[in-house]
Amino acid sequence: MKNTIYTLLLTAVGLSACTKMNHEYAPYLTNGEIFYTGISTNLEVHPGRGRVELQFTRSQDPNITKFVIYWNSRSKQLELPATSNVIQKVVVPGLSEGDYTFEIVAYDKAGNPSTPGSAIVAGSSLGQTFENNLLPRRVSISNSQSGIQLDLVSVDTTCKYTTVSYTTTSGSTGSVKYMDVNALTDTLKNASPALSSIRVKTAYVPVNGIDTFYAEQVVPVNLAVGKYTCTGQMTDYTNASLTGAYPWNVTLRPTTATQLELVDNDQTNDVFHKILSGGSGSYYGQFGVVFNLNSNHQVVSVINKYGQPSGNGRSAELDPSGINKFDPATRTLKVKYWMNQPGATHRTSFDEIFTMK
């Protein structure tokens, strides 16, 4: 009798518990049980010009029939039919430049979606602002008897190539395409001897990008820039034991588009004027020659790099009796100038010919 009463009590409690549980979950079962299809994984966003490419791995759920891409808080969407490929790709076009968050929802043939918020990825659409901030590959330009020499700096692997366009000896447009991202040197052997500029266009593809972006610049060419052998005459009116160190290996190095400093390649490897003192190599302290040229390759002034005057009273001055001009055809520079010390007193005269190597 006691066991019978105990069994009846357990049954009553169980029925009461089930009734309560069903009551709590009833609102969620109004439309029947909810089924979610498999979610997408390994989400990637590949940036492009006014667009992005989405790449993801589809679920193994065989019932998936389509994917819907949502963005802008689900106010925008794009539908993609499912394929049997494990990797799914889709391009989302017509995007203004900026950052976006995409949600990828898979649907099966019954219309059941994957779990909301389970496949979200952020990425960027690129445009004019991004492109304007790109820099063309830097290049140093010098002249030589073999042609215009280009020294290109190294760049990262987002740089796909650099194109250099220029005027040839025949007056047509020539171009060279450089694929190597490492620093390199090349000579434009058919460049016009009167070349005034080159156009540098560098192509970039962002990491995982799907489109190419460009940075372009017109770079002026100073034809007098290069390596030379300097010959000529030098007279120091105060000390006869100081004489010219000719022939002298030098470089005319640009400081601006129209200004060149004279680099001593034999004695100091710096901007000083080499001389001989009693037959031995020496140089004038605090005196370095800087030539200013105009657009017609004429030397319009000569100044001392270390001041006009420098701390020891030395300055430079152009001698107007000289030819004072660079000849693009022969690639030679002829110039006369003085070193003044003290004040405007002409202490040393130079009459020099720079023959390009």
Side-chain angles (χ1 to χ4, degrees):
M1 181 65 177
K2 186 182 291 185
N3 289 337
T4 302
I5 294 172
Y6 183 70
T7 302
L8 290 172
L9 286 172
L10 286 176
T11 302
V13 171
L15 289 172
S16 174
C18 290
T19 302
K20 184 178 179 180
M21 184 180 296
N22 290 340
H23 175 73
E24 290 179 350
Y25 283 91
Y28 300 96
L29 300 174
T30 302
N31 297 317
E33 187 176 355
I34 299 176
F35 294 94
Y36 291 109
T37 190
I39 64 173
S40 303
T41 57
N42 301 321
L43 314 181
E44 295 181 15
V45 179
H46 303 157
R49 186 186 295 273
R51 60 181 187 161
V52 300
E53 180 187 69
L54 299 181
Q55 177 179 304
F56 54 92
T57 301
R58 63 162 292 163
S59 163
Q60 294 182 357
D61 186 339
N63 295 315
I64 294 175
T65 59
K66 68 178 180 179
F67 302 92
V68 178
I69 314 300
Y70 297 100
W71 68 98
N72 283 3
S73 301
R74 286 206 169 199
S75 65
K76 301 287 187 179
Q77 69 180 66
L78 177 67
E79 188 171 310
L80 170 68
T83 69
S84 59
N85 297 330
V86 175
I87 303 298
Q88 304 283 306
K89 292 183 179 182
V90 61
V91 172
V92 181
L95 298 176
S96 299
E97 186 169 14
D99 299 327
Y100 293 86
T101 299
F102 300 95
E103 180 182 6
I104 302 171
V105 180
Y107 289 89
D108 65 14
K109 61 183 67 176
N112 296 312
S114 52
T115 309
S118 61
I120 293 178
V121 64
S124 300
S125 170
L126 306 177
Q128 198 61 54
T129 299
F130 173 80
E131 194 164 52
N132 289 344
N133 287 324
L134 294 174
L135 297 175
R137 189 172 184 177
R138 288 192 297 112
V139 56
S140 297
I141 306 169
S142 58
N143 203 351
S144 71
Q145 292 294 346
S146 299
I148 298 296
Q149 180 173 298
L150 306 177
D151 290 288
L152 288 87
V153 302
S154 61
V155 286
D156 64 48
T157 54
T158 62
C159 172
K160 298 308 174 184
Y161 61 87
T162 297
T163 301
V164 174
S165 302
Y166 60 97
T167 303
T168 68
T169 52
S170 65
S172 61
T173 299
S175 66
V176 184
K177 191 173 186 178
Y178 301 102
M179 306 295 294
D180 194 342
V181 298
N182 298 313
L184 60 92
T185 298
D186 191 27
T187 300
L188 306 177
K189 296 183 178 180
N190 65 337
S192 168
L195 189 68
S196 61
S197 65
I198 64 171
R199 182 176 294 274
V200 180
K201 186 175 183 179
T202 306
Y204 294 92
V205 176
V207 176
N208 294 325
I210 59 172
D211 289 315
T212 304
F213 297 81
Y214 301 93
E216 194 167 0
Q217 181 182 15
V218 175
V219 182
V221 174
N222 189 327
L223 292 172
V225 174
K227 297 183 182 298
Y228 292 82
T229 300
C230 177
T231 56
Q233 296 180 335
M234 166 193 150
T235 303
D236 187 314
Y237 301 111
T238 67
N239 189 341
S241 68
L242 301 180
T243 58
Y246 308 113
W248 176 30
N249 294 304
V250 302
T251 296
L252 289 181
R253 183 173 67 192
T255 56
T256 69
T258 57
Q259 190 176 77
L260 301 170
E261 54 187 16
L262 177 57
V263 180
D264 164 28
N265 294 339
D266 288 341
Q267 182 77 20
T268 64
N269 293 313
D270 206 344
V271 185
F272 291 105
H273 200 295
K274 182 183 178 183
I275 59 176
L276 297 179
S277 177
S280 299
S282 185
Y283 62 95
Y284 283 121
Q286 295 186 43
F287 183 71
V289 178
V290 178
F291 299 123
N292 289 300
L293 287 74
N294 63 17
S295 58
N296 293 320
H297 312 296
Q298 295 173 319
V299 181
V300 294
S301 69
V302 182
I303 60 174
N304 180 8
K305 177 181 175 69
Y306 303 101
Q308 287 282 97
S310 60
N312 61 6
R314 291 172 177 166
S315 61
E317 180 184 350
L318 181 68
D319 181 349
S321 69
I323 295 176
N324 302 331
K325 187 173 183 178
F326 173 76
D327 183 352
T330 61
R331 295 183 172 92
T332 57
L333 170 67
K334 297 179 181 180
V335 60
K336 292 177 70 175
Y337 56 99
W338 294 291
M339 182 184 77
N340 296 335
Q341 186 187 24
T345 302
H346 300 330
R347 171 180 165 173
T348 306
S349 66
F350 302 94
D351 185 357
E352 296 175 331
I353 299 174
F354 297 86
T355 303
M356 188 172 286
K357 295 182 179 180

